[in-house]
Amino acid sequence: MKRDVFNPGNVKPALPLSHAVRAESLVFISGQLPFGKNGQFPEGFESQLRQVFINFSAALASAGSSMEAVVKTTCFLKDMNDFSELNRIYGEYFKEAPPARSTIEVARLPNDALVEIEAVAMKL
């Protein structure tokens, strides 16, 4: 089976992972954290979630996919009290036929992020 690795801007991550891996017609997106261009996280849940979607979209595009082709996501929340805010903002990005989704509260995320999202998508 052919497997290709993609990273937005062809920048290799500092960690031993790839942002996106395409295997045949599927694209697997590693958990995306809210790192901004300055390498820092924005303040607050909404800002972090929106940055995650920016990073998420870039990872998808690098592998020849898009938000419309996402079939499954897993959302990791630091605090399940942010679940309704996740749903509100998530609905802005997945308006029609949203993907299957799991949402899990976790004890801690890397760099104390408030949210992380991973996904499986189809290649366009």
Side-chain angles (χ1 to χ4, degrees), residues 29-40:
I29 302 299
S30 291
Q32 297 297 298
L33 292 165
F35 285 108
K37 290 183 180 184
N38 63 1
Q40 302 295 314

Side-chain angles (χ1 to χ4, degrees), residues 10-11 40 47 72 96 106 111 117:
N10 292 318
V11 176
Q40 302 295 314
S47 295
K72 170 70 169 86
E96 294 182 32
V106 296
N111 292 58
I117 300 176

Side-chain angles (χ1 to χ4, degrees), residues 23-88:
E24 302 296 327
S25 63
L26 293 177
V27 176
F28 299 85
I29 302 299
S30 291
Q32 297 297 298
L33 292 165
F35 285 108
K37 290 183 180 184
N38 63 1
Q40 302 295 314
F41 291 169
E43 293 292 322
F45 181 79
E46 180 175 353
S47 295
Q48 285 196 18
L49 180 57
R50 291 189 186 282
Q51 184 63 52
V52 164
F53 276 116
I54 290 168
N55 299 346
F56 188 75
S57 294
L60 285 163
S62 74
S65 192
S66 70
M67 296 291 281
E68 295 76 27
V70 174
V71 296
K72 170 70 169 86
T73 64
T74 304
C75 302
F76 303 96
L77 299 179
K78 169 70 175 143
D79 185 347
M80 197 56 83
N81 289 317
D82 292 323
F83 187 69
S84 61
E85 187 75 353
L86 168 72
N87 287 326
R88 183 182 70 78

